[in-house]
Amino acid sequence: MACHAVIPAAGVGKRFGAGMPKQYLPLAGRCIQQHTLDRLCAMTAISQIVVAISIEDTRAQALPYAQPQRLRFVPGGAERMDSVLAGLRALRERGAADSDWVLVHDVARPLLRAADVRHLLAVLADDPVGGILANPVRDTMKRGDADGIEATVARDNLWHALTPQMFRLGALTHALEAALADAAVVTDEASAMERLGYRPRLVEGARDNIKITFPDDLALAEALLAEQIRTGVQT
């Protein structure tokens, strides 16, 4: 059975505050999106790669990618779930089966290791639901408001959700359509599956698979990328 990838890339990066979508910011001589898509294109286990972009985006398809023939761009939507659904529907139009696996990956995670994808595929190969890459929480966790700390939250069994998140095309489409019908905005694919009673697996991944969200994340990504290149772990 095949494995495909969907990359929601229609966001405008409001939290980053750069005046442009953060995926177009420079990282080691190329923009973030080029790094992310080039890594996915190099993974031969992935059959089709669909990138959901803003209808106003004129840059995405013009960038010099390593394997542009592997990429298909489709219009995304206002929310992440809209863009992912657009990507899933595009896969179906191109003959993907409901039983195929789909990896949904953040465009702002350019440091994804191929070894993590291989591990995710191996662990979930026969799983009836699917799962996500994640990291166990290491820090003491606090819940608070404008007045201060409300409570210390036990970090036992808490995980940071990463991507890719891996589910069957049919099941994920149904979960996202159900959330849309209920006007429930879900922030990742796992939470859409959880709404329907599924329990996705947690698969530990590398800690350098960071999401570039704020300006200081870009400097950290530069340093981590240099270290990946030095040690050769990016492939």
Side-chain angles (χ1 to χ4, degrees), residues 87-164:
L88 297 175
R89 289 165 180 161
L91 287 172
R92 273 180 160 168
E93 289 171 4
R94 297 190 69 177
D98 281 352
S99 58
D100 287 353
W101 287 112
V102 178
L103 299 170
V104 180
H105 186 60
D106 296 327
V107 71
R109 292 187 189 271
L111 304 180
L112 175 64
R113 299 185 182 204
D116 273 2
V117 174
R118 291 192 294 269
H119 182 52
L120 187 68
L121 292 171
V123 171
L124 300 178
D126 298 318
D127 194 271
V129 177
I132 70 173
L133 284 180
N135 292 146
V137 167
R138 295 183 294 184
D139 302 311
T140 298
M141 305 299 291
K142 304 289 185 180
R143 180 182 294 111
D145 56 22
D147 295 323
I149 296 172
E150 291 181 338
T152 297
V153 180
R155 65 188 172 202
D156 298 342
N157 300 321
L158 288 182
W159 293 69
H160 294 289
L162 310 176
T163 68

Side-chain angles (χ1 to χ4, degrees), residues 3-84:
C3 176
H4 314 288
V6 169
I7 301 86
V12 297
K14 290 180 180 178
R15 285 181 292 177
F16 198 97
M20 70 171 71
K22 62 189 173 185
Q23 60 263 35
Y24 296 120
L25 293 170
L27 174 64
R30 295 186 295 159
C31 73
I32 292 167
Q33 181 160 301
Q34 285 173 283
H35 285 280
T36 302
L37 298 185
D38 284 354
R39 289 203 179 194
L40 290 168
C41 285
M43 299 177 190
T44 56
I46 300 175
S47 298
Q48 299 185 62
I49 301 172
V50 179
V51 188
I53 62 174
S54 168
I55 58 173
E56 300 173 353
D57 190 334
T58 59
R59 287 179 266 193
Q61 299 181 65
L63 290 170
Y65 300 104
Q67 299 184 61
Q69 74 281 2
R70 293 259 285 146
L71 301 170
R72 182 187 179 194
F73 294 87
V74 300
E79 301 290 344
R80 176 193 178 92
M81 60 190 291
D82 300 317
S83 293
V84 174

